[in-house]
């Protein structure tokens, strides 16, 4: 059945049917429900081209990825986010357009997308403080939602974030309570909001407990297994190594685990690890008892929610903005235990053995 046939059966115009299926608020709720039920009954699948012609929309959502961050395309965190968002796009009849561009072309790409009407909205990834993308998109009038927050901003905007500061405050307190005084932080890229929030929480919690944060115990890198492995090996080879690590991702924590195995150190006994667990679909954190103790929040669920908010903004661009900060839950795994009494010499001898 095509749009014209469905419209005739309902006694409505094709434009009204398209707008009802697209969730336009100006279509009465009862009409929207009637159209949706008829579409289900007749197994009607809207043609994106027909919907675009009827509504004036492109029926596409944009994701712009700078070349300096194109590792995100294969990052399991990004992949899970996109998987969650795609579920919402597909249900609403939207396509997804991913543009990989040079860093200097990112803002121009947003202007081109808006000027040509290529997409109806975009999701902004990896926000930074005073993020210029937010003002540009606001001025363009292109609907957008931010995954994360970019503070401070004079412009109101919609976002979905987790309580990064609270998560790493809790994690740092836990390790201190276990007697760890030398705690390494294997963090994401410096200057990105989530990483800055986590480092601030770590430093301020240490200071509040009477421990001076040590810059030599902090690393900033991509959230990859290799970064966790290299960072752990380097810090554990120091004269005064840490007895515990905070890792910004379970992916980084896997690298730490590999480094410990090479050094002959046992996870949870010789070295404790607490990570942030994005509940990734393809990288599990153990079974009933997690391998890693971690603060947990599903990035796939965040992708779904960002997509839902963006479609809401496309339908109602003048509606109040929605700003959500999700709390995280702490799950105890096998990677944490009381601080050991080993010395730097013992770590070195274990490595030599």
């Amino acid at each position: 059945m095509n749009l014209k046939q469905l419209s005739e059966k309902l006694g409505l115009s094709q434009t009204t049917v398209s707008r009802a299926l697209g969730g336009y608020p100006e279509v009465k709720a009862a009409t929207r429900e009637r159209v949706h039920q008829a579409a289900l009954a007749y197994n009607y699948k809207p043609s994106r081209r027909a919907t675009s012609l009827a509504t004036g929309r492109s029926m596409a959502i944009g994701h712009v990825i700078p070349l300096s961050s194109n590792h995100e395309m294969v990052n399991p965190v990004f992949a899970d986010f996109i998987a969650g968002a795609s579920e919402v796009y597909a249900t609403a009849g939207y396509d997804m357009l991913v543009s990989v561009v040079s860093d200097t072309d990112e803002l121009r790409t947003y202007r081109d997308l808006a000027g040509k009407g290529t997409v109806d909205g975009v999701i902004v990834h990896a926000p930074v403080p005073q993020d210029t993308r937010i003002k540009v998109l606001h001025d363009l009038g292109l609907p957008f939602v931010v995954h994360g927050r970019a503070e401070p901003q004079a412009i109101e905007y919609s976002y979905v974030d987790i309580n990064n500061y609270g998560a790493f405050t809790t994690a740092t307190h836990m390790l201190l309570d276990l007697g760890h005084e030398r705690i390494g932080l294997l963090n994401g890229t410096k200057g990105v909001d989530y990483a800055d929030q986590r480092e601030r929480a770590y430093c301020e919690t240490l200071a509040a407990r009477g421990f001076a944060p040590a810059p030599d115990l902090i690393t900033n890198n991509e959230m990859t297994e290799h970064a966790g492995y290299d960072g752990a090996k380097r810090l554990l080879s120091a004269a005064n190594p840490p007895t515990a690590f905070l890792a910004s991702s379970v992916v980084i924590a896997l690298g730490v685990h590999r480094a410990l195995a090479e050094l002959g150190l046992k996870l949870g006994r010789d070295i404790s690890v607490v990570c942030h667990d994005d509940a990734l679909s393809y990288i599990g954190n153990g079974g009933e008892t997690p391998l890693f103790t971690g603060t947990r929040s599903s990035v796939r669920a965040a992708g779904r929610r960002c997509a839902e908010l963006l479609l809401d903004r496309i339908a109602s661009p003048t509606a109040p903005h929605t700003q959500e900060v999700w709390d995280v839950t702490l799950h105890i795994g096998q990677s944490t235990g009381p601080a050991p009494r080993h010395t730097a010499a013992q770590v070195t001898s274990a490595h030599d053995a």
Side-chain angles (χ1 to χ4, degrees), residues 11 15 40 88 90-91 114 117 146 190 226 300:
T15 299
L40 288 172
V88 177
T91 301
V146 180
K190 199 170 186 63
H226 292 297
R300 193 177 189 120

Side-chain angles (χ1 to χ4, degrees), residues 310-328:
L310 181 55
L311 296 187
D312 287 346
R313 289 220 62 75
I314 291 168
S316 305
T318 60
H321 287 279
T322 301
Q323 300 177 334
E324 297 182 1
V325 180
W326 296 359
D327 285 327
V328 300

Side-chain angles (χ1 to χ4, degrees), residues 41 135 146 169:
K135 184 177 188 307
V146 180
T169 297

Side-chain angles (χ1 to χ4, degrees), residues 145-151 157-167 193-194 197 296-297 302 305-306 309 321-329:
V145 170
V146 180
H147 180 213
R149 284 175 286 176
E151 304 293 355
Y157 62 96
S158 295
Y159 61 75
V160 175
D161 197 9
I162 64 170
N163 186 354
N164 287 292
Y165 185 89
D193 185 78
Y194 79 84
Q197 290 290 334
R296 184 181 298 170
S297 182
R305 187 59 180 145
C306 283
L309 293 183
H321 287 279
T322 301
Q323 300 177 334
E324 297 182 1
V325 180
W326 296 359
D327 285 327
V328 300
T329 54

Side-chain angles (χ1 to χ4, degrees), residues 167-186 202 205-206 209 211 242-247 267-276 292-295 330 332-341:
F168 273 61
T169 297
T170 297
T172 307
H173 274 303
M174 178 187 179
L175 290 173
L176 290 170
D177 290 344
L178 288 170
H180 297 278
E181 299 179 2
R182 296 276 295 173
I183 303 170
L185 173 63
L186 305 175
Y202 160 83
T205 303
L206 285 174
R209 296 283 293 268
F211 299 98
T243 61
F245 288 105
L246 285 171
L267 182 70
R269 183 193 67 192
D270 301 312
I271 301 290
S272 287
V273 176
V274 179
C275 68
H276 179 66
F292 297 107
T293 295
T295 55
L330 179 66
I332 306 301
Q334 305 168 48
S335 65
T336 45
R341 298 305 172 192

Side-chain angles (χ1 to χ4, degrees), residues 10 24 54 74 76 88 104 120 127 144 155 165 209 221 270 326 342:
L10 288 165
Y24 274 74
V74 293
V88 177
T104 55
D120 296 321
F144 68 96
I155 298 168
Y165 185 89
R209 296 283 293 268
N221 212 324
D270 301 312
W326 296 359
H342 65 61

